[in-house]
Amino acid sequence: MNAPTPHSHLVPEINQRDVPEALLAALKSRFGANCSTALAVREQHGRDESSFVAPPPAAVVFAESTQDVADAVKLASDFSTPVIPFGIGSSLEGHLLAVQGGISIDVSRMNKVLAINAEDLTVTVQPGVTRKQLNEAVKSTGLFFPIDPGADASIGGMSATRASGTNAVRYGTMRENVLALEVVTASGEVIRTGTRAKKSSAGYDLTRLMVGSEGTLGVITEVTVRLYPLPEAISAAICSFPSIEAAVRTTIQVIQLGVPIARVELIDHNTVRMVNAHSKLGLREEPMLLMEFHGSPAGVKEQAETVQEIASEFGGTAFEWATTPEERTRLWTARHNAYFAAIQSRPGCRAISTDTCVPISRLADCLLDSVKEADASGLPYFLVGHVGDGNFHFGYLLDPNDPKEREVAEQLNHQLVARALALEGTCTGEHGVGLHKMEFLVTEAGVGAVDMMRTIKRALDPKNIMNPGKIFAM
Ligand SMILES: Cc1cc2nc3c(=O)[nH]c(=O)nc-3n(C[C@H](O)[C@H](O)[C@H](O)COP(=O)(O)OP(=O)(O)OC[C@H]3O[C@@H](n4cnc5c(N)ncnc54)[C@H](O)[C@@H]3O)c2cc1C
């Protein structure tokens, strides 16, 4: 887990509302042992994988059903007390901090796969089901769920952050893959959005309003997502490049030519070194693309040949193939562990992650200048990217006790976001706004658009109890 920074480095403004004793008594009476006020439990629920700290929530309710969630929210609403939904706590931007106090509703025990409709390629799950659990559950049907944020996140949390990951270049993000939801609103009412039909023109698209709402509009208690047939053939390959620029230009051309590549991840030479040390791999310590191709055997071969040709034009070395499922898993596990490998490379450090995403034609402009700035800063960093989507992450590794390093990292993040916005990109491709990107959202969306978001929030949550103080200030 990322190390917390001292209080003096706090980003969030702490403005805690009192949590009345009467509410805690009512929760204890309704939920018994499933409502905890133990400090360790509260602290575990009062932070995420960001390094920001705030006092923990006053209580944690472990919900086991939609009715539990509805009852907890109704009680909190009666006392105008904030409610923070909790999945597995892997978010990166301060989403879970109880900056206005309140209670946490942990839905991780709502972890049943409710209905697998293999013939329709859909599955309906409770929000605490994790992506790996979901894939285990559908494995025997020959289908899979492709969205894979590095952490084994909950489907509810992934819906709430509009998550994506390495497969998004081919299969889209949670935005494209959530079909329907059940939601407990801020007043404790249970509503449904969407259906299992592939498309619909029925009224406002409340599903997409909830997806990415970061717990600020309601608690998601059921999710229906799309599944995909497991590809007939899968091949993974790595290719090293003489420079980051060469790897990026290869990616741009692959995407612009419309090669239906399933995954194309950039890992810079720093990160390859860290991953080698952490996962005991012997990868060449040069910038590298880690790729995967899905399709029929002939289709995969054709895609791979096209990409190899493009890579060689930019000085890429011959592909090294991971042919067996075990080898592929080893490579992708190493990729998914890059964040932890990086944190371990500087003992006691903490990471500040960036998350910009730009149109593919602007990727080189955005990334290369940012690499120059990061190199010039002297801060150790790692760089990984879902570059096929124009999305990449720097992780600045800083000494939590050195305010100067913190300042440098924040400055680098500011410059990077400003560059991405100037190139018509976004301040967050997949992690969400939380606390850390609030000011950037105003720059990106504009005052009028953020005002419209406020109007929606006021209408749906008039007491401002759902994860207040996140995404934008009220
Ligand atoms: C090593 C690492 C790698 C990562 N890589 C990626 C990546 O590649 N792509 C990516 O998109 N993200 C990535 N993330 C970020 C993180 O995994 C995602 O944001 C994930 O979607 C969070 O899910 P969670 O279950 O942990 O949610 P939490 O962290 O528990 O919650 C996240 C937010 O969602 C809200 N929430 C949670 N559950 C519900 C619910 N049932 N109803 C309503 N609101 C809810 C919370 O209130 C909070 O605001 C990474 C994180 C780590 C630590």
Side-chain angles (χ1 to χ4, degrees):
M1 170 161 271
N2 211 358
T5 35
H7 280 266
S8 57
H9 297 163
L10 269 178
V11 165
E13 194 185 319
I14 309 288
N15 187 11
Q16 292 214 308
R17 307 185 210 169
D18 282 341
V19 175
E21 281 302 324
L23 169 60
L24 295 179
L27 289 171
K28 283 265 181 208
S29 152
R30 164 65 177 79
F31 293 101
N34 283 350
C35 171
S36 175
T37 49
L39 181 62
V41 176
R42 293 191 290 120
E43 281 181 345
Q44 190 224 331
H45 288 79
R47 58 169 311 205
D48 47 24
E49 274 292 330
S50 74
S51 60
F52 312 125
V53 279
V60 178
V61 172
F62 291 92
E64 293 181 348
S65 65
T66 299
Q67 193 58 53
D68 280 356
V69 175
D71 288 353
V73 174
K74 261 187 216 137
L75 283 171
S77 170
D78 290 347
F79 290 89
S80 297
T81 295
V83 169
I84 305 163
F86 186 98
I88 66 140
S90 70
S91 44
L92 291 162
E93 300 290 359
H95 293 74
L96 292 168
L97 272 65
V99 286
Q100 295 190 22
I103 61 163
S104 169
I105 299 186
D106 181 328
V107 296
S108 60
R109 294 182 188 173
M110 293 174 69
N111 60 359
K112 290 194 187 69
V113 174
L114 298 172
I116 301 172
N117 292 100
E119 60 286 9
D120 293 322
L121 288 83
T122 72
V123 62
T124 300
V125 298
Q126 289 188 311
V129 169
T130 68
R131 66 174 179 92
K132 286 186 184 166
Q133 185 195 343
L134 172 53
N135 272 317
E136 259 320 294
V138 299
K139 205 162 72 180
S140 62
T141 63
L143 302 173
F144 81 116
F145 176 64
I147 317 296
D148 66 334
D152 189 19
S154 70
I155 302 299
M158 289 168 60
S159 305
T161 55
R162 207 186 294 132
S164 46
T166 62
N167 276 312
V169 62
R170 171 138 181 182
Y171 298 96
T173 71
M174 289 306 275
R175 179 179 65 186
E176 289 79 28
N177 285 290
V178 175
L179 288 168
L181 296 171
E182 179 188 80
V183 177
V184 170
T185 68
S187 61
E189 197 191 331
V190 181
I191 62 149
R192 288 191 168 273
T193 75
T195 69
R196 288 201 307 109
K198 190 175 174 193
K199 59 186 200 177
S200 166
S201 289
Y204 293 168
D205 191 342
L206 298 181
T207 307
R208 246 132 300 276
L209 176 62
M210 294 305 304
V211 172
S213 61
E214 301 185 11
T216 63
L217 297 177
V219 186
I220 296 166
T221 46
E222 242 180 67
V223 190
T224 300
V225 292
R226 291 176 201 269
L227 297 173
Y228 295 81
L230 277 164
E232 203 188 331
I234 301 179
S235 286
I238 50 178
C239 181
S240 298
F241 289 86
S243 65
I244 292 178
E245 175 162 11
V248 168
R249 299 229 177 262
T250 299
T251 308
I252 295 174
Q253 202 153 324
V254 166
I255 299 298
Q256 288 176 339
L257 278 177
V259 179
I261 197 163
R263 290 165 144 177
V264 53
E265 294 287 304
L266 171 70
I267 307 182
D268 80 327
H269 56 286
N270 288 328
T271 317
V272 177
R273 185 174 34 77
M274 294 164 183
V275 164
N276 273 345
H278 179 270
S279 301
K280 310 279 173 286
L281 297 175
L283 302 170
R284 287 163 72 138
E285 297 190 354
E286 291 174 346
M288 162 181 126
L289 289 179
L290 174 51
M291 292 166 275
E292 198 166 275
F293 306 95
H294 294 180
S296 64
V300 161
K301 186 165 171 279
E302 192 188 338
Q303 289 174 46
E305 279 169 5
T306 310
V307 174
Q308 286 198 75
E309 235 168 76
I310 298 169
S312 68
E313 272 172 40
F314 290 100
T317 53
F319 277 22
E320 288 171 44
W321 293 98
T323 40
T324 64
E326 293 73 28
E327 273 177 74
R328 277 205 311 272
T329 304
R330 193 154 159 261
L331 271 184
W332 286 108
T333 305
R335 161 64 189 91
H336 281 137
N337 284 338
Y339 172 82
F340 301 105
I343 289 181
Q344 280 182 15
S345 73
R346 189 178 183 193
C349 79
R350 76 181 215 44
I352 290 195
S353 301
T354 69
D355 179 33
T356 47
C357 184
V358 291
I360 194 73
S361 68
R362 319 309 292 272
L363 180 63
D365 298 338
C366 191
L367 210 156
L368 299 175
D369 284 349
S370 307
V371 168
K372 274 187 213 141
E373 276 170 2
D375 284 339
S377 77
L379 260 190
Y381 70 88
F382 66 95
L383 169 61
V384 290
H386 313 307
V387 278
D389 285 328
N391 183 202
F392 59 89
H393 311 297
F394 281 88
Y396 307 115
L397 303 172
L398 51 95
D399 173 355
N401 297 311
D402 185 344
K404 270 211 197 103
E405 289 199 2
R406 170 65 189 249
E407 253 167 54
V408 172
E410 290 295 349
Q411 182 61 29
L412 289 168
N413 188 29
H414 268 75
Q415 286 162 202
L416 172 52
V417 171
R419 179 171 301 118
L421 297 187
L423 295 169
E424 299 177 78
T426 174
C427 63
T428 171
E430 55 181 19
H431 295 164
V433 175
L435 294 166
H436 196 207
K437 296 278 169 66
M438 283 169 65
E439 64 172 285
F440 299 134
L441 178 69
V442 182
T443 317
E444 176 175 330
V447 173
V450 176
D451 263 345
M452 191 182 278
M453 294 184 202
R454 273 193 201 98
T455 306
I456 293 169
K457 167 84 173 159
R458 268 191 214 105
L460 301 188
D461 179 18
K463 294 181 184 172
N464 191 23
I465 62 166
M466 294 307 310
N467 203 5
K470 311 293 164 58
I471 307 184
F472 44 79
M474 288 304 283

